[in-house]
Each structure stands twice: as C-alpha cells, then as structure tokens.
Amino acid sequence: MAYIGNQPTSAAFVTDLFSGNASTTAFTMTVAPANTASILVAVSGVVQSPDTYSISGTTLTFSAAPPTGTGNISVRYLGIPATNITTTAYRTVTEFTATAGQTTFSVPSYTVGYVDVYRNGVRLGTADYTATSGTTVVLAAGATLGDLVSTESFYVSSVLNAIPATGGAINTLYLDAGNANGTGALLTPSGTTVQRPASPIVGMQRWNTTIGGMEVYIGTGATGWQTIASTAYSVDYLVVAGGGGGGGSGGGGGGAGGLLTASAVSVSPGTSYTITIGAGGAGGPSNNAAPGSIGIAGSNSVFTSIATAVGGGAGGAGYTGYDTNGGAGGSGGGAGGNSSAATKVGGAGTVGQGNAGGNNFNGANYAAGGGGGAGAAGGNGSSSLGGTGGIGSISTLSGASVYYAGGGGGYVGSGTAGAGGNGGGGVSSITANGTAGGVNTGGGGGGSGYNGTTPVGGSGGSGVVIIRYLGTVQRATGGTVTITGGYVIHTFTSSGTYTA
C-alpha cells in the first residue's frame, strides 16, 4: 500500500505464550507489568477480562485454571513494565501471495520466537509453521494458489532501563527516594564560590570547593547560600596578645603579650568566630613627676569562645623618686631602674601564658629590670647590664619555626643596654628612646634611656592569631590563607572573623 509521506511504523509489544493443563492457575511472565490493565490476556483466542486474573511481580494468577492446550494462553504487554524492563521490539510486516503448494517464504531477519504468521487473515498456531532460521518461515501444509500469507516479525533490542539522553529528562517521575538502596554515592555538582549558579533556585545544593563543604541556597540573594552543618572538625591555634610598653626615663622592659596555643580543638562548620588582635601598649613618657613614666599594658587578643591571651605588662618607670615595679600581664613588665630606694620587682605573668618580669636589686642609678617573655622570665638588672628580655616561644603553625612573645630589654645607666628577647622584644637604650616590639609578635617594648632629654620607652608589638587545620582544600574563611605542609593556615594580623 502506498502512503503520502513516510510509511507508518508501529511498536510491537512483548508477548508470552503458555500451555494450559486444566489445573495450573499461576504462570511466570518474563517481565512485571504495572497492573492488570497493562497486559492483554487471551485463552484459546478469547480475550479475558482483567477481573479474571491478578498479577504480583512476574506472576500471573487466573481465578480458574485455563483448559488444556499447547500455547493456548497468550499474554501481551501493552506498555513499559514497572520493573525488570529488558527489551523493546520493532515490528515489520511482510506480505506474500502464495503459489500453489508453496511452503517456504523468505522474510526479513527476525529473532526466533518473535515472529507471527497469518494465512488469509487467520493467525496460525506454532504447530502450523516452522520459524527457526531467522530468515525463513516454512508452512506445515502447502498453500493454495492466491493465498495471502503475512509475517509479522520483531526486531528485539535491550534497553536496560534506559534514561533519555536529553537535558532535563530526569525528573521526579524517574526517581523513587523510598528505594534509594545503592551502596555507592551520589556525585553532586561542585565548584568555587565564584562559580555558583547565576540564577539559583531555592533548594539547590552543591559542594563549594572554596570552603570545602556542602551548601544550600535558601533564597535571600547573594547571602542565600548557606553552609550545610556537618560534623565538627579540629583546628590548631596560636593566640598572642599585644606586648606591654617599655618604661620611660630609664625604665624597665615591657612584658610580652600572653601566648596560648593548642591542638585538636573542635569548631563547628558554618559558625563565625570573632578574632580580636590586641594592640601593643604605648611606651612610658619622659615624665619625671608622679605617677612617673611607667609604660602602658598591651591589649588582649581573642579567639572568641576558645582562647583569650592577656596583654603584656607595662615596664616600670625609672626616675628617682617615681620609680615603680613592673606591671602584671600576660608576661610581666620589668622593674624600673635609676632607683635609689628599695628593690623594685617585675610584674607577674599569667599562668599558662607568660612569665614574670625581671627585678632591680641594685637600688642605685644604674639598672632596670628586663621584660618578661613567654618562654622565660625577664632578666634582672645589674650595675653594668640592662635586664635582658625574656625569650619567647617558637611556633610552627605558620608553616615555619617562628619566635613570638619576647620580652623588652631594660635600661642601664652605663655599660650594655638590655637586649630584647627572641620573639620581637624591643632593645633598651642608655640615652635614647627604647625600641618598639615587633609588629604581630606580641613583643614587649624596650625601656628608654635617661639623660637631659628624658627619652620615652618603646611601644609594645601588636598580637597575632593563627588557625590551621589538616588538608589541602580551604573549608573556612577569614584572615590571610595559605596552604602548605598538608595544612590550610588562616593568619590574622588584624581583627576579623573566622567562619568555620
């Protein structure tokens, strides 16, 4: 038959054949239909009502046993099975006008078992022909001249639960969360913060490689991406407070800022921790009147809710009659020099953060106590040597071995001025201003010299906070970030926020 346009095609349905024995009611099908309306069941050529049978998975059960017959029960699947889909078929119809006695007919390639044969419109039973070669059909009895013989063959291919290769084809119709029983993992989209979708939709989830964590869009603009809370992780930290200022008019060295460090401290993803960097205290002025020229204590550095380092103690004043003890702090300030009165003592340090400042035992116009460091107490003053600032502590959290929190050196009337301790401690002077403590070291300021110009003490160095965690992928924000030695390191040289 001729057609306008392309010849119509149709998709055939998979069919099972069973033989009844008048006693069996249950038969096993090759696939599992969705329901009884998804199959067409015929017994001895008579289509059965769906209320005469039921299905459960691949089992077809009749309410009454079908009669005895060879291949007298047919089950044709009218749609995609609910489960175990393995095949789909394409139908090809070929028609022949038979010659007298003709038995063999050549047909297009077919899969054995997937061909039907009709003679003058009547479908033949499997006993009426042989179709085992894949290319020919042989009738059991020769045809009569002019008989119309038709073959309906099927090309069968496996689809193995295919999903359409089209963007957006996978939707909730193809997903069943109640049966997500796989043992592998679902690979989610990932990318940097900059690569987030330009027009996100509420509920979108992705792995953010910038912060090293999952995030979800909750629909409030640029801030709508929120980190999904997950198991807390551990960090190591170093917190150093600002150093104390050195004393003026021949003063003691400033105490170093308190130093705290710890490992394997738990932080919660998505939580913001305020970081405060303590400033160094100012050096003592050239003040020869009460209350003297004592320095100013440093300020605290804070890793909110986790650690607070105490600012370094002030260096004592050095002018005769107004000379003072060193001030207490993270590390204590050194005692003032130029004393003609009783012994002056260094300030106390904070337990676990620093040490005491040095003392002035001389009682004459020569010596000043050294500032206390985090690693050791400040040196005492003597008649020829200014007190040496206490040595600080070494930390490797920055990726290198670095000293922090050295005490400031103390004044001496003549001889050698007190040196600052390793870790940013300022050097004292005999006749000039004391040297400032190192920036972001927490070092104490050096005590000033003493002469007619009455110089001032050196200011303390500012503090620092360093936080690190294992890995090579950044999972937090805040500070200056470096990745080295198997760690991600966040260094705060000014106040800010660490978002875990």
Side-chain angles (χ1 to χ4, degrees):
M1 179 182 294
Y3 298 91
I4 298 175
N6 295 329
Q7 178 173 324
T9 60
S10 59
F13 302 105
V14 178
T15 302
D16 281 336
L17 290 177
F18 305 106
S19 298
N21 59 10
S23 63
T24 299
T25 58
F27 299 86
T28 301
M29 301 175 288
T30 56
V31 292
N35 49 54
T36 55
S38 299
I39 56 177
L40 185 64
V41 179
V43 177
S44 300
V46 179
V47 175
Q48 304 296 297
S49 172
D51 61 9
T52 64
Y53 55 85
S54 63
I55 58 172
S56 176
T58 58
T59 301
L60 168 67
T61 303
F62 289 94
S63 57
T68 299
T70 301
N72 63 329
I73 304 169
S74 68
V75 181
R76 179 162 294 186
Y77 304 94
L78 303 179
I80 298 175
T83 59
N84 299 328
I85 179 169
T86 57
T87 59
T88 186
Y90 300 91
R91 172 175 174 266
T92 300
V93 176
T94 307
E95 295 183 342
F96 305 91
T97 300
T99 60
Q102 183 177 356
T103 58
T104 302
F105 299 85
S106 297
V107 299
S109 176
Y110 61 85
T111 299
V112 175
Y114 288 88
V115 61
D116 290 334
V117 181
Y118 297 83
R119 183 174 177 178
N120 296 322
V122 178
R123 182 174 178 275
L124 302 182
T126 55
D128 297 326
Y129 64 90
T130 299
T132 57
S133 68
T135 57
T136 61
V137 171
V138 180
L139 300 181
T144 301
L145 178 65
D147 281 349
L148 179 62
V149 177
S150 299
T151 62
E152 186 179 34
S153 58
F154 303 91
Y155 170 74
V156 181
S157 63
S158 173
V159 296
L160 297 177
N161 296 316
I163 296 175
T166 305
I170 301 177
N171 53 50
T172 54
L173 295 177
Y174 297 95
L175 303 176
D176 183 357
N179 289 287
N181 297 320
T183 58
L186 177 66
L187 181 62
T188 60
S190 67
T192 65
T193 296
V194 175
Q195 293 173 322
R196 286 169 172 164
S199 300
I201 299 172
V202 173
M204 280 185 170
Q205 297 183 33
R206 64 193 296 272
W207 178 265
N208 188 317
T209 58
T210 301
I211 65 174
M214 289 293 295
E215 60 182 1
V216 61
Y217 185 69
I218 62 174
T220 55
T223 60
W225 287 100
Q226 299 293 316
T227 302
I228 299 176
S230 59
T231 304
Y233 62 95
S234 296
V235 299
D236 306 330
Y237 69 78
L238 170 73
V239 180
V240 181
S249 300
L259 182 149
L260 291 170
T261 186
S263 300
V265 176
S266 180
V267 294
S268 300
T271 300
S272 294
Y273 299 85
T274 300
I275 304 297
T276 302
I277 302 301
S286 54
N287 179 10
N288 297 334
S293 48
I294 189 170
I296 303 299
S299 299
N300 297 347
S301 287
V302 182
F303 183 180
T304 297
S305 76
I306 293 178
T308 298
V310 178
Y319 186 72
T320 304
Y322 301 110
D323 46 338
T324 61
N325 298 324
S331 293
N338 201 30
S339 173
S340 59
T343 296
K344 300 299 178 181
V345 297
T350 299
V351 176
Q353 299 193 24
N355 294 279
N359 303 317
N360 176 5
F361 297 115
N362 188 50
N365 296 334
Y366 297 108
N380 298 321
S382 71
S383 60
S384 61
L385 180 65
T388 302
I391 296 173
S393 293
I394 294 178
S395 173
T396 59
L397 262 68
S398 65
S401 294
V402 180
Y403 275 98
Y404 295 93
Y411 159 80
V412 66
S414 63
T416 303
N422 289 345
V427 180
S428 70
S429 176
I430 298 175
T431 60
N433 296 337
T435 302
V439 176
N440 297 127
T441 66
S448 78
Y450 180 82
N451 61 15
T453 61
T454 57
V456 300
S459 60
S462 56
V464 67
V465 173
I466 300 175
I467 304 168
R468 76 176 187 181
Y469 44 86
L470 281 169
T472 57
V473 176
Q474 181 182 342
R475 63 184 303 170
T477 59
T480 299
V481 180
T482 55
I483 302 175
T484 184
Y487 287 94
V488 180
I489 303 166
H490 296 253
T491 301
F492 290 84
T493 55
S494 60
S495 298
T497 301
Y498 178 82
T499 302

